[in-house]
Amino acid sequence: MPDEVLDGPCGPWPLDTSCCPGWPADPADWSPEQQAAAEIATEVLWRLTAGRYGLCEEVLRPCRKGCDEPMPSMSYGGGGLLRPVLDNGRWFNRPCGCGPSGCSCVPLCVIDLPGPVHDVVEVLQDGEVVAPSGYVLHRTATGGRLVRTGDECWPECQDLRLPDTEPGTLSVRYLRGLEVPTAGRRAVGQLACEIDKLCSGSSGGCSLPTGTKSVTREGVAYEIVPPGSWPETLQAHMPQVWAWVQLVNPQRVRQFGAVFSLDLPPAPVAARYRPGVPR
């Protein structure tokens, strides 16, 4: 499967359907209408909360250079090699790619993972699974650092032309994003329940007004979008769901801000996969 950019959630959020009697707890037992209702409810709340929540499985193929590679164009009088190093916004000339705090001039045994990082699913090196005892994940404010333990380091380079099941390759499969909180699970469960009622034509206790927009998903066609926008509909008919949206996105932004530095290398590109879809 090629790398994919998804304009939407990777899959349905976990649903708390305790307020929806008769909804199966196991997603494998959902009807096609319930599956579609869960996907639609997830996308509505994912967009209303600026895509902040939900876990996506990503595969990173890291390839880096060791800090002790020679750079003939830079040297000092003692015969050693100098390299420019950016540390806390200042440039230093160092004998290797190490900061002023000090470290050895050997390749660092760390892989930086773009975040937020929820958990590491699997690491493959030379096509073989690396035991979880062979690495430690340290979460940071912007991502995570996967540290190799023992007397080994991660390989400096790999052949990106080969699949990660072959020798000479390295890949990290991990879950990226923020887990949906308890209130969010309850909100998406309530919304999915009401969408399912609207689809089935249930007149008893449905909170959503009759819609007029036709939607087709996996061969199931029905009308699900109420008159007016989703924010207006939730405010008027599902105040509990709207209260959670307002709590986590009070300014109603479409995308949360991020800071980029021109002095730092771009984050590695990872392939993004929907849960349950093979690579």
Side-chain angles (χ1 to χ4, degrees), residues 41-274:
T42 295
E43 183 164 359
V44 169
L45 295 187
W46 183 86
R47 294 190 183 281
L48 290 179
T49 56
R52 181 177 184 180
Y53 295 106
L55 301 178
C56 294
E57 186 177 279
E58 298 196 0
V59 177
L60 188 71
R61 297 287 300 271
C63 189
R64 62 176 177 77
K65 297 180 180 180
C67 71
D68 55 350
E69 284 188 327
M71 295 184 65
S73 60
M74 294 187 181
S75 63
Y76 56 52
L81 298 175
L82 288 176
R83 298 192 68 172
V85 177
L86 180 66
D87 191 282
N88 292 325
R90 296 182 59 191
W91 286 100
F92 298 87
N93 285 325
R94 298 288 169 184
C96 68
C98 307
S101 58
C103 66
S104 61
C105 291
V106 296
L108 296 177
C109 305
V110 175
I111 295 175
D112 291 320
L113 302 177
V117 178
H118 178 71
D119 198 12
V120 174
V121 177
E122 183 182 68
V123 180
L124 293 179
Q125 183 174 339
D126 295 322
E128 301 291 334
V129 176
V130 179
S133 59
Y135 53 84
V136 176
L137 174 64
H138 296 282
R139 295 178 179 85
T140 66
T142 58
R145 308 188 77 200
L146 195 64
V147 182
R148 194 72 156 101
T149 59
D151 298 327
E152 298 185 53
C153 283
W154 302 114
E156 296 182 9
C157 293
Q158 63 168 309
D159 191 343
L160 297 176
R161 297 169 298 180
L162 298 176
D164 61 1
T165 54
E166 298 295 324
T169 63
L170 175 68
S171 68
V172 180
R173 183 184 299 272
Y174 70 104
L175 295 178
R176 179 177 180 179
L178 297 178
E179 192 171 15
V180 182
T182 301
R185 298 184 184 197
R186 175 65 63 88
V188 74
Q190 291 177 326
L191 181 57
C193 183
E194 299 304 322
I195 291 175
D196 183 51
K197 290 180 184 179
L198 189 65
C199 166
S200 61
S202 174
S203 58
C206 182
S207 299
L208 298 177
T210 303
T212 57
K213 183 175 180 179
S214 177
V215 173
T216 301
R217 281 193 176 229
E218 299 181 355
V220 180
Y222 53 94
E223 298 175 344
I224 55 91
V225 177
S229 67
W230 275 110
E232 294 172 348
T233 299
L234 295 181
Q235 289 181 66
H237 302 282
M238 301 193 70
Q240 301 90 343
V241 174
W242 181 248
W244 177 73
V245 172
Q246 283 292 93
L247 178 66
V248 298
N249 189 15
Q251 303 301 323
R252 296 176 64 174
V253 299
R254 295 188 177 184
Q255 182 177 355
F256 285 94
V259 177
F260 299 91
S261 173
L262 298 177
D263 295 324
L264 298 176
V269 177
R272 187 181 181 197
Y273 302 101
R274 296 184 185 274

